[in-house]
Amino acid sequence: MTALPSLERAPVSPWALSAFWFGTAFHWLVILLSLVPSNVLHFVGEERKGTYVGLLTLIGAAMALIIPPIIGAQSDRLGKRLPYLRVGVGVNLVGLVVMALAVATLSGMGGFWVYVLGFLFVQFGNNYATAPYSALIPQLVPVAQRGRYSGAMGMLQAAGQLLGAVGALVVSLLKLPDAALFALVGVMLLIPALVTMRGVGAADNAPARTASAAPQRSWQTLFAYKPFLWVFVTRALFALGQYSVQPFLQFYNRDVLKQANPVQSNLYMLAAIIVASIASALIGGRISDRVGRKPVIYVAGTTMAVTALLFLIAPSFLAAVGLAVVFGLGYGAFTSVDWALGSDAMPSSANFARDMGIWHVAFVAPQFIGGPQGALLDWGNAQGGNLGYTLVFGIAAVFFALGVILVRNVPDRVQAPQAQPA
């Protein structure tokens, strides 16, 4: 496969290409920020809530670390992406059913471990689909258009998260059982996946490789390629900042902001973040096509680092919502260039799915931080004064700041990846 000429148009619209990202954003927001915290509290009780939410985060991170590179390499050899998307979504839906049944019919630690089993299916299926799907942007989109396509992906991701927060809020206000929310998540995952599969269609035609013809580019050589190395490192740092606090926002609303209904107040805060991120996502992607990716990252990362610290001194829930808006502007700008920056850093068009799978590890493997951060949260709060929240928000700010500093090492101009003979 040769690199696409810069003036060539991509064979699929940015909205169809990004539709699955909309569905998976809806899916993960509802599961990780609404269902998992409240479900874990139901199973294990108050004193161990942070530790067991952290455990689920660790499990997800472990699967996300292992599955995408392996499945991505298989996809490169097959020369197809969509079959993996079909199978992965199917397994994901089975996992959602198991989780819903556990919450509806079981309790205690026995119920929790059945819930974990469903969560394993969800993680396996979603990661099985993600690495081959991630290869479609660098495979189909010319370099000169990647900012626009990344902006569309960031905007649809934010829209999916917004609708996820709204859907969870509506279910909560109507006092419907969690099974209704699990069903909604399944529908909102399946329909966008079908849109992407239909939109990509015949364009899903990467050149298949045999094992003997595969380029002998080891993982060590991949990380020796400086653009990829520094994009990987900085993306991991931003993800570490995000996952330092994301699983615990519902608890923050209850313990620090003293909200009577932390589930609903958490959803209001998330909605504020997401609406603001929609406003900055599409604009940021287009700006990055003109001025480069790094200036957008500088502004976005600095905004997120400062806001993470200000959350600790928010005097009221309304003030925290205002800070959420500011954080969302930074987060949307970051997501608008995230995929473009990663796509620009791919060293070889013959390994798009494998290399994007490895790059995707930089976003999902930092979920490991949820384990120690959950334990740190419980330990710090046991000392009094909400010390746990001071520690986890402060650590998040440090990760964001390091991401801003180290992104300077990413080259300003990265050449289009070179094709290697199949």
Side-chain angles (χ1 to χ4, degrees):
M1 177 179 177
T2 57
L4 289 168
S6 60
L7 297 179
E8 184 177 345
R9 296 184 63 84
V12 59
S13 83
W15 311 110
L17 185 61
S18 302
F20 179 64
W21 204 241
F22 168 90
T24 201
F26 183 105
H27 169 278
W28 284 122
L29 181 132
V30 175
I31 289 178
L32 295 180
L33 276 69
S34 182
L35 285 169
V36 163
S38 60
N39 294 161
V40 168
L41 189 61
H42 161 74
F43 286 121
V44 308
E46 172 69 27
E47 293 184 357
R48 298 182 293 174
K49 65 181 188 296
T51 300
Y52 280 96
V53 167
L55 174 63
L56 282 177
T57 306
L58 280 172
I59 291 171
M63 299 190 74
L65 181 65
I66 297 168
I67 296 170
I70 295 173
I71 302 304
Q74 290 181 1
S75 174
D76 286 328
R77 286 193 289 270
L78 178 66
K80 296 287 185 181
R81 317 302 184 192
L82 297 186
Y84 294 89
L85 186 57
R86 295 186 189 100
V87 173
V89 170
V91 174
N92 193 328
L93 293 174
V94 171
L96 291 174
V97 171
V98 174
M99 292 174 73
L101 289 174
V103 173
T105 62
L106 302 172
S107 61
M109 290 307 297
F112 175 73
W113 293 118
V114 175
Y115 187 83
V116 170
L117 176 63
F119 188 73
L120 287 172
F121 276 103
V122 167
Q123 284 284 357
F124 180 87
N126 202 268
N127 282 288
Y128 190 92
T130 297
Y133 168 70
S134 299
L136 289 171
I137 281 188
Q139 177 182 314
L140 299 177
V141 181
V143 173
Q145 297 178 32
R146 285 178 182 166
R148 182 167 73 95
Y149 273 69
S150 183
M153 182 169 281
M155 183 177 180
L156 283 180
Q157 177 185 353
Q161 292 172 334
L162 176 61
L163 287 182
V166 171
L169 179 60
V170 169
V171 170
S172 173
L173 291 173
L174 295 177
K175 302 187 185 302
L176 297 176
D178 283 345
L181 192 51
F182 276 108
L184 179 62
V185 169
V187 170
M188 294 302 291
L189 180 71
L190 177 60
I191 292 176
L194 294 174
V195 171
T196 290
M197 287 186 278
R198 180 177 177 83
V200 173
D204 180 28
N205 192 27
R209 301 187 284 109
T210 64
S212 60
Q216 301 300 309
R217 184 185 293 277
S218 68
W219 291 14
Q220 292 85 350
T221 303
L222 177 63
F223 283 99
Y225 183 61
K226 296 301 183 183
F228 183 90
L229 170 66
W230 287 113
V231 167
F232 185 95
V233 168
T234 54
R235 193 188 203 223
L237 286 167
F238 278 103
L240 284 167
Q242 176 181 344
Y243 288 120
S244 288
V245 297
Q246 178 176 289
F248 313 113
L249 280 176
Q250 189 177 121
F251 302 150
Y252 165 81
N253 273 271
R254 185 180 65 174
D255 299 338
V256 177
L257 298 179
K258 307 299 184 184
Q259 295 299 292
N261 192 327
V263 174
Q264 290 183 14
S265 60
N266 182 46
L267 292 171
Y268 289 133
M269 184 177 293
L270 290 173
I273 292 173
I274 296 162
V275 169
S277 70
I278 291 174
S280 59
L282 193 57
I283 297 173
R286 292 180 179 273
I287 290 174
S288 77
D289 280 336
R290 296 184 177 90
V291 305
R293 320 296 187 204
K294 293 197 295 185
V296 178
I297 296 291
Y298 294 150
V299 174
T302 301
T303 300
M304 289 190 286
V306 172
T307 310
L309 293 176
L310 293 177
F311 273 118
L312 294 170
I313 58 174
S316 66
F317 175 69
L318 287 178
V321 171
L323 290 173
V325 171
V326 178
F327 183 89
L329 291 172
Y331 180 72
F334 171 75
T335 59
S336 73
V337 300
D338 183 32
W339 286 84
L341 196 66
S343 298
D344 290 349
M346 294 297 107
S348 169
S349 61
N351 286 304
F352 273 149
R354 189 207 68 176
D355 293 350
M356 287 296 284
I358 295 172
W359 173 73
H360 191 61
V361 167
F363 180 69
V364 291
Q367 292 178 39
F368 276 117
I369 198 70
Q373 289 288 75
L376 182 64
L377 177 71
D378 288 342
W379 176 85
N381 288 341
Q383 312 308 306
N386 289 321
L387 175 62
Y389 293 100
T390 301
L391 294 173
V392 297
F393 277 79
I395 290 171
V398 170
F399 284 133
F400 289 138
L402 286 174
V404 170
I405 294 169
L406 293 180
V407 81
R408 296 176 59 191
N409 293 307
V410 177
D412 289 310
R413 291 286 182 267
V414 180
Q415 293 182 347
Q418 297 299 308
Q420 299 190 24

Short mmCIF file of all heavy atoms in Angstrom, two decimals, residues 237-238 240-242 244-245 301 304-306 308-309 373 390-406:
data_model
loop_
_atom_site.label_atom_id
_atom_site.label_comp_id
_atom_site.label_asym_id
_atom_site.label_seq_id
_atom_site.Cartn_x
_atom_site.Cartn_y
_atom_site.Cartn_z
N LEU A 237 0.79 9.92 29.22
CA LEU A 237 0.75 10.86 30.34
C LEU A 237 -0.62 11.54 30.45
O LEU A 237 -1.16 11.69 31.56
CB LEU A 237 1.85 11.91 30.18
CG LEU A 237 3.27 11.39 30.47
CD1 LEU A 237 4.31 12.40 29.99
CD2 LEU A 237 3.44 11.13 31.97
N PHE A 238 -1.17 11.94 29.33
CA PHE A 238 -2.51 12.54 29.38
C PHE A 238 -3.54 11.53 29.86
O PHE A 238 -4.45 11.87 30.62
CB PHE A 238 -2.90 13.08 28.00
CG PHE A 238 -2.32 14.45 27.72
CD1 PHE A 238 -1.22 14.60 26.88
CD2 PHE A 238 -2.87 15.58 28.28
CE1 PHE A 238 -0.69 15.84 26.62
CE2 PHE A 238 -2.35 16.84 28.03
CZ PHE A 238 -1.25 16.98 27.19
N LEU A 240 -2.95 8.98 31.87
CA LEU A 240 -2.73 8.80 33.30
C LEU A 240 -3.42 9.90 34.10
O LEU A 240 -4.01 9.65 35.15
CB LEU A 240 -1.22 8.79 33.60
CG LEU A 240 -0.48 7.51 33.24
CD1 LEU A 240 1.04 7.74 33.29
CD2 LEU A 240 -0.86 6.38 34.19
N GLY A 241 -3.37 11.13 33.59
CA GLY A 241 -4.08 12.21 34.26
C GLY A 241 -5.58 11.98 34.27
O GLY A 241 -6.24 12.15 35.29
N GLN A 242 -6.11 11.55 33.13
CA GLN A 242 -7.55 11.32 33.04
C GLN A 242 -8.00 10.20 33.97
O GLN A 242 -8.97 10.35 34.71
CB GLN A 242 -7.91 10.97 31.60
CG GLN A 242 -9.37 10.61 31.40
CD GLN A 242 -9.68 10.24 29.95
OE1 GLN A 242 -8.90 10.52 29.04
NE2 GLN A 242 -10.82 9.60 29.75
N SER A 244 -6.57 9.05 36.57
CA SER A 244 -6.31 9.27 37.98
C SER A 244 -7.57 9.69 38.73
O SER A 244 -7.71 9.44 39.93
CB SER A 244 -5.22 10.33 38.16
OG SER A 244 -3.95 9.84 37.79
N VAL A 245 -8.47 10.38 38.02
CA VAL A 245 -9.66 10.91 38.70
C VAL A 245 -10.97 10.42 38.12
O VAL A 245 -11.99 10.40 38.83
CB VAL A 245 -9.64 12.46 38.67
CG1 VAL A 245 -8.44 13.00 39.43
CG2 VAL A 245 -9.66 12.99 37.25
N GLY A 301 -3.44 20.91 27.28
CA GLY A 301 -2.86 20.26 28.46
C GLY A 301 -2.71 21.21 29.64
O GLY A 301 -2.96 20.83 30.79
N MET A 304 -6.08 21.70 31.28
CA MET A 304 -6.51 20.56 32.09
C MET A 304 -5.72 20.46 33.40
O MET A 304 -6.28 20.14 34.45
CB MET A 304 -6.39 19.27 31.28
CG MET A 304 -7.42 19.15 30.17
SD MET A 304 -7.46 17.52 29.38
CE MET A 304 -5.97 17.59 28.40
N ALA A 305 -4.42 20.75 33.35
CA ALA A 305 -3.60 20.66 34.56
C ALA A 305 -4.04 21.67 35.61
O ALA A 305 -4.21 21.35 36.79
CB ALA A 305 -2.13 20.86 34.20
N VAL A 306 -4.23 22.92 35.19
CA VAL A 306 -4.62 23.97 36.13
C VAL A 306 -6.01 23.69 36.70
O VAL A 306 -6.25 23.82 37.91
CB VAL A 306 -4.58 25.34 35.43
CG1 VAL A 306 -5.17 26.42 36.33
CG2 VAL A 306 -3.15 25.70 35.04
N ALA A 308 -7.55 20.82 37.07
CA ALA A 308 -7.54 19.68 37.99
C ALA A 308 -7.22 20.13 39.41
O ALA A 308 -7.79 19.64 40.39
CB ALA A 308 -6.54 18.63 37.52
N LEU A 309 -6.30 21.10 39.54
CA LEU A 309 -5.95 21.62 40.87
C LEU A 309 -7.06 22.49 41.43
O LEU A 309 -7.36 22.45 42.63
CB LEU A 309 -4.65 22.41 40.78
CG LEU A 309 -3.39 21.61 40.46
CD1 LEU A 309 -2.19 22.54 40.31
CD2 LEU A 309 -3.12 20.57 41.54
N GLN A 373 -4.54 4.30 42.57
CA GLN A 373 -5.23 5.54 42.92
C GLN A 373 -6.46 5.27 43.77
O GLN A 373 -6.78 6.03 44.68
CB GLN A 373 -5.64 6.30 41.65
CG GLN A 373 -4.48 6.92 40.87
CD GLN A 373 -3.86 8.11 41.58
OE1 GLN A 373 -3.14 7.95 42.55
NE2 GLN A 373 -4.13 9.30 41.09
N THR A 390 -7.27 15.16 47.45
CA THR A 390 -6.15 16.06 47.20
C THR A 390 -5.01 15.33 46.49
O THR A 390 -4.41 15.85 45.54
CB THR A 390 -5.63 16.66 48.52
OG1 THR A 390 -6.69 17.38 49.17
CG2 THR A 390 -4.45 17.59 48.28
N LEU A 391 -4.75 14.11 46.92
CA LEU A 391 -3.66 13.34 46.33
C LEU A 391 -3.96 12.94 44.89
O LEU A 391 -3.14 13.14 43.99
CB LEU A 391 -3.39 12.09 47.17
CG LEU A 391 -2.84 12.34 48.58
CD1 LEU A 391 -2.77 11.03 49.37
CD2 LEU A 391 -1.45 12.98 48.51
N VAL A 392 -5.16 12.40 44.63
CA VAL A 392 -5.42 11.90 43.28
C VAL A 392 -5.58 13.04 42.27
O VAL A 392 -5.11 12.94 41.13
CB VAL A 392 -6.64 10.95 43.25
CG1 VAL A 392 -6.38 9.71 44.08
CG2 VAL A 392 -7.92 11.64 43.67
N PHE A 393 -6.20 14.16 42.66
CA PHE A 393 -6.32 15.29 41.75
C PHE A 393 -4.96 15.95 41.52
O PHE A 393 -4.65 16.39 40.41
CB PHE A 393 -7.32 16.31 42.28
CG PHE A 393 -8.76 15.99 41.96
CD1 PHE A 393 -9.45 15.04 42.70
CD2 PHE A 393 -9.41 16.63 40.93
CE1 PHE A 393 -10.77 14.74 42.42
CE2 PHE A 393 -10.74 16.32 40.62
CZ PHE A 393 -11.43 15.38 41.37
N GLY A 394 -4.15 16.02 42.58
CA GLY A 394 -2.82 16.60 42.42
C GLY A 394 -1.95 15.77 41.50
O GLY A 394 -1.22 16.31 40.65
N ILE A 395 -2.01 14.45 41.62
CA ILE A 395 -1.24 13.58 40.73
C ILE A 395 -1.71 13.73 39.29
O ILE A 395 -0.90 13.74 38.34
CB ILE A 395 -1.36 12.11 41.21
CG1 ILE A 395 -0.60 11.94 42.53
CG2 ILE A 395 -0.84 11.14 40.15
CD1 ILE A 395 -0.83 10.61 43.20
N ALA A 396 -3.02 13.87 39.08
CA ALA A 396 -3.55 14.07 37.73
C ALA A 396 -2.96 15.34 37.11
O ALA A 396 -2.56 15.34 35.93
CB ALA A 396 -5.07 14.15 37.77
N ALA A 397 -2.90 16.42 37.88
CA ALA A 397 -2.35 17.67 37.36
C ALA A 397 -0.89 17.51 36.95
O ALA A 397 -0.45 18.06 35.93
CB ALA A 397 -2.49 18.78 38.41
N VAL A 398 -0.13 16.74 37.72
CA VAL A 398 1.28 16.51 37.39
C VAL A 398 1.41 15.76 36.06
O VAL A 398 2.24 16.10 35.21
CB VAL A 398 1.98 15.72 38.53
CG1 VAL A 398 3.37 15.27 38.09
CG2 VAL A 398 2.07 16.58 39.79
N PHE A 399 0.57 14.76 35.85
CA PHE A 399 0.61 14.00 34.60
C PHE A 399 0.28 14.90 33.41
O PHE A 399 0.95 14.84 32.37
CB PHE A 399 -0.35 12.82 34.65
CG PHE A 399 0.14 11.66 35.47
CD1 PHE A 399 -0.69 11.04 36.39
CD2 PHE A 399 1.43 11.16 35.31
CE1 PHE A 399 -0.25 9.96 37.14
CE2 PHE A 399 1.88 10.08 36.06
CZ PHE A 399 1.03 9.48 36.97
N PHE A 400 -0.74 15.73 33.53
CA PHE A 400 -1.09 16.63 32.43
C PHE A 400 0.07 17.59 32.13
O PHE A 400 0.39 17.84 30.95
CB PHE A 400 -2.34 17.45 32.78
CG PHE A 400 -3.62 16.66 32.80
CD1 PHE A 400 -4.56 16.86 33.80
CD2 PHE A 400 -3.90 15.73 31.81
CE1 PHE A 400 -5.76 16.15 33.81
CE2 PHE A 400 -5.09 15.01 31.82
CZ PHE A 400 -6.01 15.21 32.82
N ALA A 401 0.68 18.12 33.17
CA ALA A 401 1.79 19.05 32.97
C ALA A 401 2.98 18.38 32.29
O ALA A 401 3.61 18.95 31.38
CB ALA A 401 2.22 19.65 34.31
N LEU A 402 3.29 17.15 32.69
CA LEU A 402 4.39 16.43 32.04
C LEU A 402 4.08 16.16 30.56
O LEU A 402 4.98 16.23 29.71
CB LEU A 402 4.65 15.11 32.76
CG LEU A 402 5.34 15.21 34.12
CD1 LEU A 402 5.40 13.83 34.79
CD2 LEU A 402 6.76 15.76 33.95
N GLY A 403 2.82 15.87 30.24
CA GLY A 403 2.45 15.67 28.85
C GLY A 403 2.69 16.91 28.01
O GLY A 403 3.19 16.83 26.88
N VAL A 404 2.37 18.08 28.57
CA VAL A 404 2.59 19.34 27.86
C VAL A 404 4.08 19.56 27.63
O VAL A 404 4.53 19.96 26.55
CB VAL A 404 1.99 20.52 28.65
CG1 VAL A 404 2.43 21.85 28.06
CG2 VAL A 404 0.48 20.42 28.67
N ILE A 405 4.88 19.30 28.65
CA ILE A 405 6.33 19.53 28.55
C ILE A 405 6.97 18.60 27.53
O ILE A 405 7.77 19.03 26.67
CB ILE A 405 6.99 19.36 29.93
CG1 ILE A 405 6.52 20.44 30.90
CG2 ILE A 405 8.51 19.37 29.81
CD1 ILE A 405 6.89 20.20 32.35
N LEU A 406 6.62 17.32 27.56
CA LEU A 406 7.31 16.34 26.73
C LEU A 406 6.81 16.29 25.30
O LEU A 406 7.51 15.76 24.42
CB LEU A 406 7.20 14.95 27.37
CG LEU A 406 7.95 14.80 28.70
CD1 LEU A 406 7.78 13.39 29.26
CD2 LEU A 406 9.42 15.14 28.55
#
